[in-house]
Amino acid sequence: KTQNSKMASVGRSLFVFLCLLSSEVFVTPEILGELPDDWPPKDEKFKFEADGLYSEDFDLEIGKGLKTFERQLDDVFTCRLAYEIPKGETETWRFTLNTAVDKSSYSCFAERPGPTSSELNFKQFKLSMIGVKEMGYGEAYGDPSKALPEEEYSVDKSKMEVASLPGKFKGHVSRLFAVALLHHPHEEL
């Protein structure tokens, strides 16, 4: 019975994570337990926390100078988005941090939820992973389903960041993604 409850918990977390990933959140009381009648609140940004999963909507700040938004998961892993958008109308973006069930990896997404197009012109961006030993993968997307051309951004595994390249980045980004790997000592069988 304990095994089944662990699997149900993993399944529920995976389901919520995949829904967040697709920017479509389908939450029912059967999945997450009883929710208040006024959920989600109309005057508050989306925010969700569960074991190994954190997701929150935030408004991009517009104006000269570098702006940052960061969150921490499990008191171990921090993901930071640094960006500059000189002018335009603010947009709501979603920040999602997740960990594997065995805590062997962490992932971070910063993205514009939904299929809407954006008129924002980023001057620069950088998604950094802090508190981890190795970056396994990173990518930046211009359109939600199309990666930016490799000449517009870099993935620096030694600095653990995905960043725009000065003079090459054309200003359009809709999603940033990075995965960090944690090293655990191997046990002999």
Side-chain angles (χ1 to χ4, degrees):
K1 190 169 182 176
T2 306
Q3 183 73 10
N4 287 341
S5 64
K6 284 182 182 177
M7 291 303 293
S9 175
V10 169
R12 180 175 59 227
S13 294
L14 182 59
F15 174 78
V16 171
F17 177 68
L18 292 173
C19 289
L20 292 170
L21 215 93
S22 68
S23 299
E24 299 283 338
V25 179
F26 300 100
V27 179
T28 64
E30 294 81 29
I31 294 170
L32 297 176
E34 290 301 316
L35 296 174
D37 291 336
D38 62 346
W39 194 89
K42 304 292 183 241
D43 59 339
E44 293 181 28
K45 298 280 185 213
F46 171 82
K47 185 175 181 179
F48 181 81
E49 291 183 69
D51 187 34
L53 175 65
Y54 179 86
S55 188
E56 175 182 0
D57 284 358
F58 70 100
D59 290 332
L60 293 173
E61 294 181 46
I62 309 299
K64 292 193 181 232
L66 202 59
K67 315 293 185 210
T68 60
F69 186 86
E70 71 179 48
R71 290 296 180 261
Q72 186 177 47
L73 185 65
D74 294 342
D75 295 325
V76 173
F77 168 62
T78 300
C79 188
R80 176 183 299 143
L81 173 65
Y83 61 92
E84 184 176 3
I85 307 169
K87 58 185 174 178
E89 296 289 322
T90 190
E91 287 182 352
T92 298
W93 274 45
R94 182 162 295 155
F95 211 61
T96 304
L97 287 75
N98 188 40
T99 184
V101 174
D102 65 359
K103 306 285 187 200
S104 63
S105 65
Y106 285 90
S107 62
C108 178
F109 295 84
E111 63 186 332
R112 186 179 64 249
T116 60
S117 62
S118 172
E119 301 299 321
L120 288 182
N121 193 18
F122 286 73
K123 183 174 180 180
Q124 60 179 312
F125 68 81
K126 179 170 40 175
L127 185 71
S128 305
M129 305 180 85
I130 302 159
V132 292
K133 306 255 188 255
E134 179 183 347
M135 183 172 173
Y137 180 78
E139 195 155 24
Y141 294 81
D143 293 320
S145 61
K146 185 176 178 186
L148 281 177
E150 289 182 14
E151 60 269 9
E152 288 189 45
Y153 74 101
S154 69
V155 177
D156 188 329
K157 291 183 178 183
S158 65
K159 291 182 179 177
M160 290 183 266
E161 64 187 29
V162 178
S164 57
L165 292 174
K168 307 243 180 192
F169 175 54
K170 294 184 174 78
H172 182 70
V173 66
S174 66
R175 177 182 292 161
L176 301 168
F177 171 63
V179 176
L181 307 173
L182 299 179
H183 294 289
H184 294 290
H186 296 286
E187 294 180 19
E188 294 295 323
L189 297 177

